[in-house]
Amino acid sequence: MSTDSSDLFGALFDAPPVNRTVPVLVPMPAPKAYSYSVPEGMAVEPGSVVQVPLGPRQVIGVVWDGGDEGVDPKKLRPITHVFDCPPLTKEMRDFIDWVAAYTLSPPGLVARMALRAPNAFEPEPMVEGLRFSGGEPERMTPARARVLETAADGISWTRSGLAHAAGVSLSVVDGLVSHGLFETIFLPPPPVVAKPDPDFAPSRLEGPQKAAAEEILTEVRKGEFAVSLIDGVTGSGKTEVYFEAIAETLRQGRQVLILLPEIALTASFLERFQDRFGAKPAEWHSDLAPRMREKVWRQAVTGEVRVVAGARSALFLPFEDLGLIVVDEEHDPAYKQEDRVYYNARDMAVVRGRIGDFPVVLVSATPSVESQVNGQSGRYSTIHLPTRFGDAALPDLHLVDMRRHAPERGGFLSPVLIRAIGKTIEKKEQALLFLNRRGYAPLTLCRVCGHRFQCPQCSSWLVEHRFRSQLQCHQCGHTERTPEACPECGTLDHLVACGPGVERIAEEVERHFPEARTIVLSSDIMGGVKRLRLELDAIAKGEADIVIGTQLVAKGHNFPLMTLVGIVDADLGLANGDPRAAERTFQLLSQVTGRAGRTGLKSHGLLQTYQPQHPVMQAIVSGDAGAFYEREISERERAILPPFGRLASIIVSAETRHDAENHARGVRNAAPQVSGISVLGPAEAPLALVRGRYRFRLLVHGRRNSDMQAFLRTMLAQAPKERGSVHVQLDIDPQSFL
């Protein structure tokens, strides 16, 4: 009996001896790292990726900085596993801490963004290969001879690689293996991309481009933190200029990150990179296959991948030795993440450069007001490219006053624009019609009873998608079949579409130009990203006459035959209370009209507007971007809006309107009295209901030198605790005001 008791006691309580404790940051919304013991014989250091018990589960975490002296290791749960991968660098850990402190996010959730490929934490398995061991087969064939000739130099091959190089089937290689002519060896896993060669095909720069490249190379060669803003008109050669900065960084033996707003749509950029450096960069975005994501993560942290081109989440890849970040189209709103951890990748890229002490390059034809002000104040060095590369000229832009040139009844294209489209396709050139509105129509209603189709879970109208016979909510994704009768009064065939979307414009174009080849580009196109890439390639090859698209077409694409751009509704972006509305409209319309005439052909842009005297319209057609920015900066400074002031948004949501409003008032009442910071609201958010949750918004406004984070920490600490369905969402430096 005593022996059995002894065995039971040992089984229950015998644990590996421990000698110290460490803090471990786990990927959950905890305010700080948890303490764990380190079993004897286990080697960990700050940055080590480990597995630890958390409740009944085993989770992945990172050993963090700081000690846990004074805590008895025997009272703590031990680390269960250390992964065989390089630890996160001190720079990366400092960056995670900084982002967490700035955005007031739990550091574990920020660290989670750096650990998005758990299967990559262990080394990739070796790949089985073959090496020629000598001899000849009993029967020689031409195919076998080619294999033996290819493998005669003793280089190791994979089965498929050898078969491909010799131009034979796998069965030929397998036959030679069965004759004992090859020995099996194990090879390291292949890199996801070949190493780029900085001297593969240097760009031929001239004039302003050459001067700009020299200026940016001066900063890169210093190898210190500095921010350069390349401000150049569309088609001015900005990409070729920052390619020189990438080449210099590669010569220094360091890694490069290129951030792009729509990586899944930038096949043309990847090809341009390959033409310059002889290899494509590794990609990092949400459409990447899980296995490839794991490979890219692993090879970035080990230093095998030298260049990554990615969406905003690539900023949290733990590079071994990052030496340069390029943020292309730095003004683009897509760099703002509005889920879990709210951050602007452009701003955080600058922070990562400062922490790592390496240069950052921002690039845009229409820089953000914030970057313009930083350039004017000397925080950033500004490099101007005022002219297009080569002989290409900017398009001639004209306003079409829709009050004087009204479309025909039921249409949305003015006679002026229709005539211009006709002349363009007669010359075998391409026309682009831009409308930043997906689907067929933004609203469907009944002509008899006035019933409007609204999302049952959101305070937004259902958008008709006629190509799919669906009504869809663009907030929550709710869809329903387009009915034949009104659900309110039952009347048949009296539902009417109000306003245009790209599908409706396509219908009108088909009516006017039935022989033209038309392509519609939208983010919800059937077939997803692959289909979009094929469509963009077809346009670039001249396989379309008329392109109708949303803001996707403004993302830096190069369409050689595009000579006419028509903006269907230039006023669309101005019709809201967003303080950045004028800036966003100017940027978007400038980018879209910049798609025309990039290869030297005479080009035109027509902007349909009911507000031809609006400063944005005048700035675009005059080409005087400087005057627009000067006016916009002056207004921001007068109103103490960013970058001259600070904003933070607090959204309180709940399953009932009463709970959301009451909690929002409680948060407002908890605001401390601080000079220079004021709280506006609570008020119903413009989108008052989203996914069945009622939303109230508070806006915190402060001066530039205000300690916004300290104010918000105090306010939220004193506010009522979240209970039931109540959720509080905090956004520092908000980009969206919905």
Side-chain angles (χ1 to χ4, degrees):
M1 181 69 180
S2 60
T3 304
D4 293 341
S5 298
S6 171
D7 291 344
L8 179 61
F9 184 90
L12 288 173
F13 297 101
D14 195 14
V18 294
N19 55 15
R20 65 188 178 107
T21 65
V22 292
V24 176
L25 203 57
V26 294
M28 61 171 290
K32 61 180 182 178
Y34 291 152
S35 297
Y36 286 89
S37 62
V38 182
E40 189 174 344
M42 179 182 284
V44 297
E45 61 180 292
S48 294
V49 182
V50 297
Q51 180 177 284
V52 294
L54 185 66
R57 299 176 297 138
Q58 293 285 331
V59 299
I60 292 166
V62 184
V63 177
W64 217 242
D65 300 278
D68 278 330
E69 293 83 3
V71 181
D72 185 357
K74 295 178 181 178
K75 296 181 179 179
L76 299 175
R77 302 177 78 178
I79 295 172
T80 53
H81 180 67
V82 182
F83 290 97
D84 185 10
C85 75
L88 301 192
T89 63
K90 180 69 165 65
E91 291 174 10
M92 189 65 192
R93 301 194 305 277
D94 288 347
F95 177 62
I96 289 170
D97 280 336
W98 198 98
V99 173
Y102 186 83
T103 62
L104 297 182
S105 302
L109 290 187
V110 182
R112 181 174 179 267
M113 295 191 290
L115 302 173
R116 284 290 179 87
N119 291 334
F121 301 153
E122 297 286 9
E124 290 185 68
M126 301 289 278
V127 178
E128 190 174 299
L130 302 173
R131 184 165 56 205
F132 183 51
S133 54
E136 289 188 4
E138 295 178 2
R139 187 174 62 87
M140 182 68 75
T141 65
R144 287 181 169 182
R146 289 200 301 274
V147 173
L148 296 179
E149 183 182 353
T150 303
D153 54 8
I155 293 177
S156 302
W157 295 85
T158 62
R159 285 174 62 247
S160 58
L162 179 57
H164 179 76
V168 301
S169 66
L170 283 172
S171 61
V172 176
V173 175
D174 291 340
L176 293 171
V177 171
S178 67
H179 282 77
L181 301 182
F182 286 88
E183 61 177 323
T184 299
I185 59 169
F186 288 93
L187 307 171
V192 290
V193 287
K195 285 193 175 181
D197 178 1
D199 302 308
F200 180 76
S203 304
R204 295 180 180 177
L205 302 177
E206 55 188 49
Q209 290 78 23
K210 189 173 183 180
E214 286 300 323
E215 193 172 342
I216 202 165
L217 283 173
T218 301
E219 296 291 349
V220 173
R221 284 170 182 148
K222 292 177 184 176
E224 302 171 350
F225 171 65
V227 183
S228 302
L229 172 64
I230 302 179
D231 174 7
V233 298
T234 53
S236 59
K238 298 184 293 297
T239 304
E240 284 70 22
V241 169
Y242 74 67
F243 275 176
E244 295 309 299
I246 293 171
E248 182 61 28
T249 306
L250 292 173
R251 292 187 192 103
Q252 295 172 0
R254 306 192 73 184
Q255 292 169 291
V256 178
L257 169 61
I258 307 167
L259 292 179
L260 300 161
E262 295 284 351
I263 183 65
L265 304 175
T266 49
S268 60
F269 170 81
L270 301 177
E271 290 168 5
R272 288 176 71 180
F273 188 96
Q274 185 173 27
D275 291 342
R276 169 64 180 85
F277 295 99
K280 289 185 178 181
E283 295 182 58
W284 182 270
H285 52 84
S286 58
D287 287 318
L288 210 59
R291 186 75 185 110
M292 183 56 70
R293 285 174 69 86
E294 292 156 10
K295 284 176 173 286
V296 172
W297 192 96
R298 179 81 191 187
Q299 295 183 20
V301 77
T302 58
E304 293 171 79
V305 162
R306 308 309 299 167
V307 182
V308 174
R312 59 178 182 251
S313 60
L315 188 60
F316 291 88
L317 277 173
F319 291 90
E320 180 197 44
D321 184 21
L322 188 57
L324 174 70
I325 297 179
V326 176
V327 185
D328 205 350
E329 307 288 359
E330 63 88 26
H331 67 278
D332 200 293
Y335 284 124
K336 177 72 176 188
Q337 173 162 303
E338 296 179 330
D339 179 41
R340 294 194 178 215
V341 178
Y342 285 58
Y343 69 91
N344 189 311
R346 175 200 63 206
D347 299 340
M348 296 304 108
V350 173
V351 172
R352 186 157 187 190
R354 179 169 62 81
I355 291 173
D357 197 25
F358 58 76
V360 177
V361 177
L362 309 180
V363 187
S364 178
T366 53
S368 63
V369 167
E370 287 84 352
S371 294
Q372 288 278 17
V373 171
N374 283 328
Q376 292 174 6
S377 67
R379 291 188 187 89
Y380 300 169
S381 60
T382 304
I383 301 169
H384 290 286
L385 291 171
T387 58
R388 283 189 160 180
F389 188 75
D391 299 323
L394 289 165
D396 295 328
L397 303 179
H398 302 280
L399 299 177
V400 178
D401 189 339
M402 297 295 278
R403 298 168 299 183
R404 295 175 54 197
H405 304 283
E408 64 181 34
R409 183 177 177 83
F412 300 93
L413 304 179
S414 69
V416 177
L417 182 53
I418 291 172
R419 285 195 298 271
I421 295 170
K423 291 178 182 177
T424 301
I425 59 179
E426 280 177 14
K427 293 186 291 182
K428 307 298 183 185
E429 295 170 355
Q430 292 174 322
L432 168 64
L433 298 181
F434 170 78
L435 176 63
N436 201 20
R437 191 179 268 160
R438 292 178 285 160
Y440 184 84
L443 170 65
T444 302
L445 56 78
C446 174
R447 266 190 288 226
V448 176
C449 70
H451 173 74
R452 299 183 176 201
F453 286 83
Q454 184 172 347
C455 177
Q457 301 184 75
C458 304
S459 51
S460 59
W461 308 121
L462 293 178
V463 177
E464 181 182 357
H465 288 257
R466 191 160 290 188
F467 292 174
R468 300 201 299 261
S469 300
Q470 282 184 341
L471 298 173
Q472 182 177 9
C473 173
H474 287 172
Q475 301 302 324
C476 71
H478 167 83
T479 60
E480 54 189 67
R481 297 287 297 174
T482 306
E484 296 180 0
C486 173
E488 189 72 23
C489 67
T491 308
L492 284 166
D493 301 327
H494 274 71
L495 300 180
V496 60
C498 300
V502 286
E503 293 177 9
R504 194 168 192 177
I505 298 302
E507 187 177 86
E508 186 174 352
V509 165
E510 177 72 18
R511 197 164 61 246
H512 288 289
F513 306 101
E515 303 300 319
R517 298 169 298 174
T518 303
I519 286 180
V520 177
L521 289 181
S522 175
S523 59
D524 51 13
I525 189 172
M526 301 289 284
V529 170
K530 289 184 179 179
R531 166 82 180 277
L532 278 169
R533 284 184 167 178
L534 290 172
E535 300 280 36
L536 290 167
D537 189 49
I539 296 166
K541 292 177 180 177
E543 297 172 2
D545 301 311
I546 303 172
V547 181
I548 303 162
T550 61
Q551 62 181 355
L552 286 178
V553 299
K555 304 283 184 180
H557 307 296
N558 188 18
F559 303 134
L561 295 177
M562 192 73 68
T563 59
L564 173 67
V565 172
I567 309 296
V568 176
D569 187 354
D571 307 323
L572 184 60
L574 299 172
N576 60 53
D578 189 335
R580 291 187 177 87
E583 177 193 3
R584 292 250 176 89
T585 301
F586 173 79
Q587 290 166 339
L588 187 56
L589 299 186
S590 297
Q591 293 280 344
V592 174
T593 53
R595 297 311 103 206
R598 294 168 71 94
T599 54
L601 295 173
K602 180 70 174 175
S603 59
H604 304 272
L606 297 175
L607 289 78
Q608 296 189 156
T609 176
Y610 288 92
Q611 306 177 67
Q613 299 307 314
H614 194 286
V616 170
M617 304 305 159
Q618 292 298 315
I620 291 172
V621 296
S622 68
D624 192 355
F628 170 77
Y629 279 113
E630 183 179 346
R631 175 182 172 277
E632 192 70 12
I633 290 169
S634 176
E635 288 191 1
R636 297 269 188 98
E637 188 171 19
R638 190 162 52 249
I640 320 179
L641 288 172
F644 303 100
R646 300 197 62 194
L647 291 175
S649 171
I650 301 174
I651 296 288
V652 179
S653 64
E655 292 176 359
T656 69
R657 188 181 187 281
H658 176 268
D659 287 349
E661 183 175 13
N662 274 2
H663 194 88
R665 292 189 185 281
V667 173
R668 172 67 182 86
N669 293 336
Q673 296 299 315
V674 175
S675 176
I677 298 181
S678 57
V679 181
L680 308 175
E684 275 194 321
L687 281 174
L689 181 68
V690 175
R691 294 182 175 88
R693 296 182 63 83
Y694 294 85
R695 306 165 78 242
F696 278 77
R697 187 182 69 177
L698 299 99
L699 195 63
V700 184
H701 176 233
R703 296 187 177 277
R704 184 168 186 164
N705 59 354
S706 302
D707 191 344
M708 183 69 75
Q709 277 77 6
F711 177 89
L712 291 167
R713 281 193 200 96
T714 302
M715 182 178 179
L716 295 176
Q718 296 176 355
K721 301 302 179 188
E722 298 175 34
R723 288 186 173 85
S725 66
V726 172
H727 177 65
V728 177
Q729 169 187 300
L730 178 62
D731 184 2
I732 307 287
D733 305 329
Q735 295 288 311
S736 170
F737 292 84
L738 296 178

